Amino acid sequence: QQQVKQSPQSLIVQKGGISIINCAYENTAFDYFPWYQQFPGKGPALLIAIRPDVSEKKEGRFTISFNKSAKQFSLHIMDSQPGDSATYFCAASMMNGNKLVFGAGTILRVKS
Amino acid sequence: DTEVTQTPKHLVMGMTNKKSLKCEQHMGHRAMYWYKQKAKKPPELMFVYSYEKLSINESVPSRFSPECPNSSLLNLHLHALQPEDSALYLCASSQGFGRSTTGELFFGEGSRLTVL
């Protein structure tokens, strides 16, 4: 019940295309859903996060869509760029503890 | 640039050595974390310190010993490690741990540990 399932494992997108990564969770007590971006040799960095009181959050080219009833959330990267090539992790946690549960990760490669 | 600084960036040690990893943050955060990350895997939580007290130990073997000397510093003491402990060790910090916090973790760049 603590798992966050992430798909796909890897993704290749043409420059200018849309990258979509999906996550699903079981624990309805989760109320914070961040996405982290990790470049090779670096630590993960927070990209964007959402709470379950909204269905969508957009920051620049990055959008989180959240479906509370389906217990799913997804990351959309519009106009994908080669510089977006990285590993993306979805995660979930509860407000009464910052113990993040990470998804398995998606390796994104944007071809120029 | 990350505001969580980890040293050393790379460490090679034998199974009988004693070494330490260090982490420092100056964001006024009151929670600090150690994570372990294997290649192509997500970070795995090891320890959480909140207000300089150990809050969570994820059943980590005693050959890993954390220490939080003050609110800005976090150490991980290593002794008698095994080759399978080779990994990227990430330090992170957050405003707090628990209610009324943003939940955002700030990660350092990690210390790449190789155990021979």
Side-chain angles (χ1 to χ4, degrees):
Chain A
Q1 199 181 21
Q2 284 292 97
Q3 280 188 321
V4 177
K5 294 183 179 178
Q6 183 172 347
S7 63
Q9 277 187 314
S10 62
L11 182 60
I12 300 175
V13 173
Q14 287 292 127
K15 179 181 174 182
I18 302 173
S19 304
I20 302 173
I21 305 171
N22 300 300
C23 285
Y25 63 98
E26 289 294 325
N27 189 345
T28 54
F30 287 146
D31 56 7
Y32 174 68
F33 302 90
W35 286 89
Y36 281 82
Q37 179 189 54
Q38 186 174 24
F39 293 105
K42 302 289 186 184
L46 180 67
L47 189 61
I48 187 172
I50 198 168
R51 299 204 185 276
D53 51 345
V54 296
S55 60
E56 185 175 282
K57 183 174 181 180
K58 185 175 181 180
E59 289 184 2
R61 296 184 294 109
F62 301 91
T63 300
I64 299 180
S65 297
F66 185 80
N67 186 329
K68 189 173 182 178
S69 60
K71 292 185 284 187
Q72 294 175 347
F73 58 111
S74 60
L75 176 69
H76 292 61
I77 306 174
M78 311 300 288
D79 186 27
S80 298
Q81 299 297 313
D84 297 330
S85 298
T87 301
Y88 292 81
F89 294 100
C90 64
S93 73
M94 292 174 276
M95 274 295 282
N96 62 355
N98 283 17
K99 192 172 167 179
L100 276 178
V101 178
F102 283 94
T106 297
I107 300 171
L108 171 65
R109 181 181 157 211
V110 180
K111 293 171 68 175
S112 54
Chain B
D1 289 336
T2 181
E3 295 182 75
V4 177
T5 305
Q6 290 188 243
T7 56
K9 290 196 184 307
H10 301 275
L11 178 63
V12 179
M13 61 186 291
M15 289 190 284
T16 58
N17 291 159
K18 284 185 181 180
K19 297 285 184 183
S20 296
L21 305 180
K22 296 185 185 302
C23 175
E24 190 169 5
Q25 59 88 12
H26 293 290
M27 293 179 281
H29 289 174
R30 303 317 301 262
M32 296 187 76
Y33 308 71
W34 280 114
Y35 281 84
K36 173 183 177 179
Q37 187 177 29
K38 291 278 205 179
K40 298 186 179 181
K41 296 290 186 183
E44 297 174 40
L45 183 64
M46 300 175 71
F47 302 103
V48 180
Y49 273 84
S50 178
Y51 288 86
E52 300 157 48
K53 288 186 169 30
L54 184 64
S55 292
I56 291 181
N57 176 343
E58 291 287 277
S59 303
V60 178
S62 60
R63 57 185 184 268
F64 295 92
S65 175
E67 178 196 19
C68 189
N70 60 56
S71 60
S72 300
L73 293 174
L74 186 66
N75 299 322
L76 186 63
H77 302 298
L78 314 170
H79 174 55
L81 295 193
Q82 304 297 310
E84 58 265 28
D85 296 322
S86 298
L88 181 68
Y89 287 84
L90 292 162
C91 174
S93 69
S94 66
Q95 277 188 335
F97 185 77
R99 290 179 180 274
S100 303
T101 62
T102 66
E104 179 176 1
L105 289 183
F106 293 79
F107 284 90
E109 295 195 347
S111 293
R112 176 76 58 190
L113 173 67
T114 303
V115 182
L116 302 176

